[in-house]
Amino acid sequence: MGPNDIELMTMAKVAQDSAAFTELVRRHQARLRAFLRRLCGSDHLADDIAQETFIKAHEGLASFRGGASFRSWLYAIAYREFLQDRRREKAAARLKDALQNDAANMEPPGGAIEVGLSMDLRRALLDLEEAERAALLLCDAAGLSHSEASRVLNAPLGSIKTYIARGRKKMREALTGVAEQRPPRNETTQTETAANHKGVMYAL
Amino acid sequence: MPSDNIETLLRADFDDLAGRLENDRFVKRVQFKLTARNRARLGVIGLAGGLGAAFAASQFSDLGRLAAPYLAEALPSYSGGVDAATQLSAAVVLAAAVIVTALVLRQDA
């Protein structure tokens, strides 16, 4: 078994070991980017923020306090970067373009039911408020504890629980609505649509 | 309609997405970005070292001329005379400058 995150952090911090930091990037990048992609709704923007997050983390190694987990520290940086990016007027315009491009270029990654679900999920997620979306993604998707999410979002524990409950309710309503309202597209896809409809209803 | 089904859907979607992102070139890109600043710094140090050595070398002929009588005494078998002594002292000091620059770069890498 290799060194844990804290040991790698110590190696990167004290011994200036770039291989140790690269290992941390390798361990966390996929889930961090998945979190940011679902949070932003744009793959390109999410990857830019993820890259910036790792650079900031590398620059701020000295400020890391052993009390928190590396993961929650990293996600907190990522969330701050996301908020900063959102605040920038230019970034807002870029996000809009990217969202339009992504919506036009959405490629099915798997089977029909999975595709429908994933796209409905993405839309339902993007309709949530930012804090609700972030809390739901951190706790329900990425597997962080409520207290870790509280540190990441810099919000009280009670607020995190409220965000999650409210987010789940909105998602449930949105996905149920999608399943009930989705019209059959044409004859050849009716079976697929029915299966998709059934999949969403069954999942809920 | 249990709420943890939303959690199941989100978790499955998230795991699937993260799985697809696991082996792309992102880590390499971050590594490149992280080392870019260091590479730029090493470039600046190397350039400064080279310029410093070149400037110092331009002064060596005068210094060498001053030191030539002593060097000629110290190196009686050296038939080059003043010019040879100048060249020798310049070569020694240049070598020292190169060694010092190399040591700095090595420590920084």
Side-chain angles (χ1 to χ4, degrees):
Chain A
M1 206 176 110
N4 63 29
D5 285 356
I6 300 295
E7 287 164 345
L8 285 171
M9 271 295 280
T10 309
M11 286 158 72
K13 194 165 131 179
V14 179
Q16 299 281 303
D17 184 349
S18 61
F21 191 78
T22 303
E23 178 56 27
L24 285 167
V25 175
R26 191 169 288 120
R27 275 186 195 179
H28 292 278
Q29 60 91 14
R31 295 183 78 77
L32 181 79
R33 286 161 68 204
F35 164 68
L36 286 167
R37 282 184 179 205
R38 290 298 181 249
L39 186 66
C40 300
S42 160
D43 295 354
H44 299 296
L45 183 58
D47 281 3
D48 283 351
I49 295 175
Q51 189 169 286
E52 198 54 37
T53 299
F54 283 113
I55 290 169
K56 287 265 165 73
H58 187 257
E59 286 169 354
L61 282 174
S63 69
F64 176 72
R65 299 279 170 264
S69 75
F70 175 74
R71 184 174 63 164
S72 59
W73 182 69
L74 190 68
Y75 278 63
I77 297 173
Y79 189 64
R80 275 200 304 274
E81 284 297 311
F82 164 73
L83 290 180
Q84 271 178 19
D85 207 82
R86 287 299 297 264
R87 280 188 209 115
R88 287 181 211 128
E89 201 178 338
K90 211 167 115 185
R94 197 172 49 161
L95 177 65
K96 196 178 165 191
D97 288 346
L99 279 172
Q100 282 167 349
N101 285 339
D102 281 1
N105 298 328
M106 266 183 197
E107 286 176 17
I113 295 175
E114 191 189 314
V115 172
L117 264 178
S118 181
M119 285 169 69
D120 291 341
L121 264 183
R122 289 174 66 173
R123 288 195 189 104
L125 266 173
L126 288 172
D127 283 340
L128 298 180
E129 285 179 21
E130 264 167 29
E132 293 167 356
R133 186 160 71 243
L136 210 59
L137 283 168
L138 286 171
C139 296
D140 283 0
L144 270 71
S145 68
H146 286 183
S147 53
E148 278 181 309
S150 159
R151 277 197 294 272
V152 171
L153 303 183
N154 197 22
L157 199 58
S159 302
I160 299 295
K161 288 177 182 170
T162 307
Y163 292 147
I164 291 173
R166 209 191 296 155
R168 279 179 183 161
K169 184 170 177 282
K170 285 183 184 173
M171 291 279 290
R172 211 160 47 232
E173 284 167 3
L175 290 177
T176 310
V178 165
E180 283 169 354
Q181 286 166 18
R182 181 178 290 155
R185 280 167 286 178
N186 57 43
E187 265 185 32
T188 53
T189 56
Q190 267 185 3
T191 318
E192 175 193 309
T193 307
N196 196 346
H197 179 107
K198 197 176 162 190
V200 174
M201 292 301 281
Y202 178 77
L204 297 172
Chain B
M1 212 183 267
S3 63
D4 62 353
N5 276 343
I6 292 290
E7 191 178 341
T8 309
L9 284 175
L10 282 172
R11 179 69 60 94
D13 172 72
F14 189 86
D15 288 346
D16 174 58
L17 177 58
R20 280 185 277 130
L21 298 174
E22 199 68 60
N23 293 314
D24 61 7
R25 295 186 49 79
F26 183 82
V27 178
K28 294 255 178 223
R29 285 207 306 274
V30 172
Q31 252 180 321
F32 184 79
K33 280 267 178 189
L34 286 174
T35 53
R37 190 174 292 179
N38 210 26
R39 281 197 308 274
R41 210 155 59 92
L42 291 180
V44 169
I45 291 171
L47 189 69
L51 284 174
F55 178 75
S58 71
Q59 310 299 312
F60 290 153
S61 53
D62 294 339
L63 289 172
R65 244 175 247 122
L66 287 173
Y70 307 104
L71 280 171
E73 270 178 35
L75 300 166
S77 61
Y78 205 84
S79 57
V82 171
D83 284 345
T86 304
Q87 283 170 13
L88 185 66
S89 58
V92 169
V93 181
L94 263 176
V98 168
I99 289 167
V100 169
T101 305
L103 283 174
V104 170
L105 290 176
R106 189 166 170 251
Q107 213 167 23
D108 247 40

